[in-house]
Every structure is written in C-alpha cells, then in structure tokens.
Amino acid sequence: MNTAHTSSTRFSPADIEKIRADFPILKIRVKDHPLVYLDNANTSQKPQCVIDALKEYYQDYNANIHRAVYEISERATAAYEASRTRVAQFLNASGNNEIVFVKGTTEAINLVAQSYGRPRLKPGDEVLITALEHHSNIVPWQLVCEQTGATLRVAPINLQGEVIVEEYERALSEKTKIVAVGHISNALGTINPIADMIAKAHAVGAVVLIDGAQAAPHTPIDVQALDCDFYAFSSHKIYGPTGLGVLYGKKALLEAMPPYQGGGEMIKWVSFEKTLYQDPPYKFEAGTQHIEGAIGLKVALDYLCHLGLDAIGHYEQELLYYATNLAREHRLNIIGEALHKASILSFTLDNIHAHDVGTILNHYGIAVRAGHHCALPVMEFFHVPATLRASFSFYNTKSEIDCLFEALRKTREMFK
Ligand code: 7TS
C-alpha cells in the first residue's frame, strides 16, 4: 500500500473555499462572468505554491543541473533530484532510478515503443491496446508496428464504454509482447480494471505499459502493487508545470533498453569509436532537462498529497454524481456510462454540434472541451463526430455545475 497519500478525510464546503483560494486563476472573469473551468482532463490549473516555486527557481537559483560545482547549480540539481524522489514515493516505485523525466505522457509512450518495442518486436508479434485509447497510446504503437512488422490488436469496448474484459483476455496469447492500456479514459472517464488486465497480460508473458495521464491526478497509484512494467503521466494534468512528464519503468527493463535520444548528460564517456551510456534514468535524459518543471511538479505532488488523494477522489465522485443526475434530468445524451468512472462527463446536446455549444458556453465564462478529445476511434464507436466534455477537479463546485446546466438550458432555447 502506498503510504505517500495520507489523508482520508472528506472535504467540507469551507475546505473547498480554502482550496479555491490557492488557485489564483479561479478569480478571473471571462466575458464578464466568473471563470468556470471544467476542462481539467485537458490541463489542470496551478496552485500558488507551484507558481511560487517556479518564480523562486528563476529568481534565486537558476542554473543548469548535474554539471557545475558552484552553489546555485548544486541547489538546482538537489531540487531536481528531490523531485525524482518525490515522484518515486508518489508512485511507490522501488527506487529513484525507475523514474525518468520526459516531456509528457506522449513522450513516455514513444520512448517505450521505440526503446523497448522496436529492438524486440518482429513479424508475428502483437501489441495489444484497447478501443478506449487516446491517440498518444495508439499512434506510437502503429509506428513501431510499421517499423518492425508486428501487428497491432485492439480489445473492443461495450456500449457503456467499458473494455470487454473477456474479449481482452481472448486477444492475449503468447504472440502478445506488449500491452498498452489507459488507466482512465480521457474521452469517457471509464476506469479500467488495470490490476486484473496487468495480471492477465503477464500470464502470457507480455510487458505492460499503463497510460496514467488521466489517473494520476485522481487516484493513488502503487506501481509495485499493480506490478505494471511501465507507467506514464503528465505534470500539467496533475497541477504541475507544462512540458514535463514521468515514465516509471521497472529497473531491469530500463537497464536493458537502449537510449531513446543521444546527447549531453546521458553518457559516461564519448569517443568517436564508442560511447558509454549512463545508467537509468540518466541514460534517457539527454540534454538540458525541464528543471523548473520538475521543481514545480514536486510542489504540486506535495500539495496534492497534503489534500489527500482519497478525499480528492471522494469529492470528485460527488461532483460527477451531481452532474450526471443533472445531465439525465436535462435529457442530455451521455456518452460513456461505465460502472466505474472518473469525474468526466461526455455528452451531446440534441443535434447541436459540440463546437457550437462550447462556443456559447464560453460566452458564459464556462470552459469545457468540445471535440474528439484525441480519441477518434471512441467517437466513431459511438457514431458522434465530437462530444462536449466537462471534467471536474477538486476545486470545482456544485454551483459551477449549476452554471453549466443553466447555460446549456439557454443554449437549447437559442437553437429552438
Ligand atoms: N493519454 C491520455 C489518457 C490523455 O488524456 C492525454 C492527454 C495523453 C495521453 C497525452 O498527454 P500529453 O500531456 O502528453 O499531451 N489528454 C488530453 C485531453 O483529454 N484533452 O486534451 C489532452
């Protein structure tokens, strides 16, 4: 059990008010309305402590890391590495050397596809994903399958937007070398039964990557208990800076993989004849890294764990339940009604195009995402070109959800 997430209390309305005060952007007005930010699955807002940490780095100890002997560089290096320690603790990894800093979930998946998959896959081998994946967990596998002659297989979903586990199990065989599954669907909010899916994949000898972009901000993750081989998430979705992500990989796997990119800092020795690489994770961190990103991510994780992921999860479920009931009352067409869902509500409004609705909502200061959510196969499955997606964070409130539904009611009136 991951003990990095300690609090198990529930938030009171006063707690939520205090939390909201930590996020300066929540005070702004858009089109003369208070900003109602319901696009958290896209990117999350940043608490003041994260913003302050970035400012402090640039004001007080801006320097490159791992390469200088002077004080501010040592301070920056220590702060960057402290972030790695924090991430390892957050995921309950068995060591810091299992945590690679990358640009985001997208880069993490590409790294695994190219460094783990490409040297190993061959014709006849299979990579298995699901029909729920974000494009970031489809295209890198298509690329590596084209490069190696391996075959991409897709486990189907049902009309609730859940992976059909029996079909997933049927798709697994000794040919399956890699399974790549999203922990939580960004388009629908479905929470996949990943512990079971990982165990089933391991039973046929496959290595498993979990795309945790949508899960890490909402639920405690314990990579050792899950026994996943790789786990990826993005800092910007978890209240940290943009441009940084995390790849967790089991030590033995990272050690066996060639570097993804070459450059400074990832080497022990370079000559024109031969280069010796650093050990993981440095082998995978070529060039100057997103130093302030890592520093900010640590502060974001501290903040999140101080609030407590259990309390966060509980409150976000309350918001989801509240919004789902209103959606039913307003006869919205909800897309994705899995039994286990994160705080994401995808829907369409009558036959009005999602982009039109999104544009009108913006006039009320409401930010939702309208589109295919980088999950075109999901849209095709439900025969819709796009959906509206409201995704809730712990700083959202029921009264903001009321604003959304009031604006939707007005939108419907306009189109009558
Ligand atoms: N995987 C999932 C499940 C995601 O939701 C996203 C981004 C990514 C991967 C890619 O993350 P990145 O940080 O590397 O870009 N999802 C979304 C979204 O739902 N709306 O905009 C981006």
Side-chain angles (χ1 to χ4, degrees), residues 2-298:
N2 190 349
T3 50
H5 317 289
T6 45
S7 169
S8 61
T9 55
R10 301 211 170 158
F11 297 140
S12 68
D15 291 332
I16 300 302
E17 277 315 300
K18 273 194 222 142
I19 288 169
R20 287 180 66 79
D22 292 335
F23 291 80
I25 205 169
L26 298 180
K27 296 187 191 78
I28 71 162
R29 293 178 75 82
V30 172
K31 312 267 184 212
D32 215 22
H33 293 275
L35 169 68
V36 174
Y37 186 76
L38 302 177
D39 196 16
N40 297 286
N42 194 341
T43 199
S44 60
Q45 299 303 340
K46 317 304 169 200
Q48 188 66 53
C49 54
V50 170
I51 299 167
D52 289 346
L54 303 188
K55 201 168 149 217
E56 192 186 328
Y57 165 70
Y58 283 116
Q59 279 186 356
D60 297 349
Y61 61 107
N62 173 48
N64 214 328
I65 53 170
H66 293 147
R67 51 184 90 176
V69 291
Y70 51 85
E71 183 159 325
I72 58 172
S73 171
E74 281 173 356
R75 187 173 163 199
T77 303
Y80 181 80
E81 290 303 327
S83 177
R84 199 189 305 278
T85 305
R86 187 67 182 92
V87 172
Q89 199 188 12
F90 182 74
L91 295 176
N92 200 30
S94 53
N96 289 9
N97 49 8
E98 295 183 319
I99 305 300
V100 182
F101 284 125
V102 288
K103 270 194 325 201
T105 304
T106 304
E107 190 176 49
I109 298 172
N110 278 281
L111 190 162
V112 175
Q114 291 300 315
S115 285
Y116 180 84
R118 193 167 180 179
R120 289 172 180 76
L121 292 170
K122 52 186 192 316
D125 289 344
E126 292 178 357
V127 175
L128 178 62
I129 60 173
T130 82
L132 273 181
E133 305 309 321
H134 184 279
H135 298 165
S136 299
N137 202 26
I138 302 174
V139 185
W141 303 113
Q142 284 174 328
L143 283 169
V144 75
C145 284
E146 276 167 21
Q147 289 158 345
T148 60
T151 303
L152 185 67
R153 293 196 64 171
V154 184
I157 54 175
N158 63 23
L159 288 170
Q160 279 69 51
E162 297 161 321
V163 174
I164 306 169
V165 176
E166 303 74 50
E167 295 285 338
Y168 166 81
E169 204 169 352
R170 230 194 308 278
L172 287 166
S173 72
E174 75 286 352
K175 290 185 199 159
T176 319
K177 301 302 173 206
I178 301 173
V179 172
V181 176
H183 192 162
I184 293 178
S185 151
N186 71 310
L188 308 180
T190 310
I191 303 174
N192 282 320
I194 57 161
D196 184 40
M197 293 171 88
I198 293 165
K200 289 187 163 107
H202 282 167
V204 298
V207 155
V208 186
L209 173 137
I210 301 296
D211 169 356
Q214 294 296 339
H218 304 288
T219 181
I221 312 290
D222 186 331
V223 289
Q224 291 189 71
L226 287 171
D227 196 28
C228 53
D229 300 289
F230 299 101
Y231 196 100
F233 72 91
S234 295
S235 162
H236 70 101
K237 292 187 198 286
I238 193 164
Y239 311 99
T242 303
L244 182 83
V246 167
L247 172 67
Y248 157 82
K250 281 182 181 165
K251 182 168 171 258
L253 292 175
L254 292 179
E255 277 171 351
M257 286 157 57
Y260 177 51
Q261 295 178 329
E265 285 304 298
M266 45 77 75
I267 54 89
K268 280 181 180 156
W269 184 255
V270 176
S271 72
F272 289 121
E273 291 71 41
K274 181 153 179 66
T275 289
L276 297 176
Y277 307 125
Q278 291 258 37
D279 296 327
Y282 305 108
K283 176 165 78 173
F284 299 104
E285 295 181 6
T288 298
Q289 297 299 296
H290 191 2
I291 303 164
E292 83 277 24
I295 290 168
L297 176 61
K298 177 187 182 297

